[in-house]
Amino acid sequence: MLASFNHISTFVFDVDGVMTDGSLLVLPDGVMVRRMNIKDGYALQLAVKKGYRVLVISGGDSPEVKDRLQKLGVKEVWMKTHQKKQVLAEYLLQHNIPKEQVLYMGDDIPDLGVIELAGLPCCPADAVQEIKDKAVYISHVGGGAGCVRDVIEKVMKLRGDWNEDTTVRAR
């Protein structure tokens, strides 16, 4: 399985249940607050800085999440997307990225179609069973608890790209 991690050049992540623990705090004004892991943020920044493609495709809509991701350097962020598979398929075709170089991490039913486009389908430890059945790698940690860091670090260590970088800040 480690050989699959060695070929990855493109990371694709869902938000809710992957970058977050899937819970929402609904404030009186209707704003929905999500909690994200700072270690995931560090890994995302380092991956972008080292030249990996990082995409986020989410059915949710949160300008705050999009803003955070863009501050981490993630340029390809699609929110409120219900055709995840179509969005990713078009991106991969446009950039001529082979399936073997794509890691996708999702956690729930809306990720079933899109996970098939990845050479390395992954999920957090607390993903639904249907996703676990399709995953080649199931992280030992749950969504929002560092599963994004887990897969990015594995890839970057295998490829010799994981090292201390004092210009990358945890966020």
Side-chain angles (χ1 to χ4, degrees):
M1 177 175 33
L2 285 178
S4 299
F5 281 92
N6 200 35
H7 300 291
I8 301 302
S9 67
T10 305
F11 296 100
V12 187
F13 299 103
D14 179 32
V15 173
D16 294 319
V18 173
M19 293 185 163
T20 76
D21 64 5
S23 61
L24 291 171
L25 177 62
V26 182
L27 300 178
D29 61 359
V31 172
M32 292 183 252
V33 180
R34 292 159 172 88
R35 188 175 78 168
M36 300 177 91
N37 189 293
I38 201 158
K39 290 181 177 95
D40 287 348
Y42 178 85
L44 287 164
Q45 273 190 81
L46 187 59
V48 169
K49 186 169 184 182
K50 295 288 183 166
Y52 291 85
R53 287 185 174 93
V54 178
L55 294 76
V56 174
I57 307 173
S58 176
D61 186 24
S62 172
E64 296 80 12
V65 168
K66 187 172 185 173
D67 182 58
R68 176 178 190 258
L69 292 168
Q70 288 176 333
K71 285 179 180 171
L72 294 173
V74 180
K75 305 269 188 271
E76 304 292 342
V77 180
W78 290 273
M79 303 293 288
K80 205 173 182 180
T81 302
H82 302 291
Q83 300 297 324
K84 291 181 178 186
K85 186 174 184 178
Q86 180 181 342
V87 168
L88 183 56
E90 289 173 7
Y91 182 89
L92 297 178
L93 184 63
Q94 179 182 5
H95 295 279
N96 198 29
I97 302 169
K99 180 178 184 171
E100 297 75 28
Q101 294 181 10
V102 180
L103 179 153
Y104 181 84
M105 181 174 265
D107 72 305
D108 208 347
I109 301 301
D111 300 305
L112 277 173
V114 70
I115 203 167
E116 296 170 354
L117 297 177
L120 184 53
C122 301
C123 69
D126 55 354
V128 299
Q129 191 59 49
E130 292 88 344
I131 295 295
K132 287 181 175 181
D133 291 344
K134 299 246 182 196
V136 170
Y137 175 74
I138 301 172
S139 178
H140 64 282
V141 292
C147 62
V148 170
R149 165 79 173 249
D150 177 35
V151 294
I152 290 174
E153 187 173 336
K154 273 184 179 32
V155 168
M156 292 179 71
K157 279 184 174 179
L158 281 169
R159 298 186 67 182
D161 292 329
W162 187 264
N163 52 29
E164 182 179 345
D165 188 330
T166 57
T167 65
V168 176
R169 298 184 315 266
R171 291 186 192 208

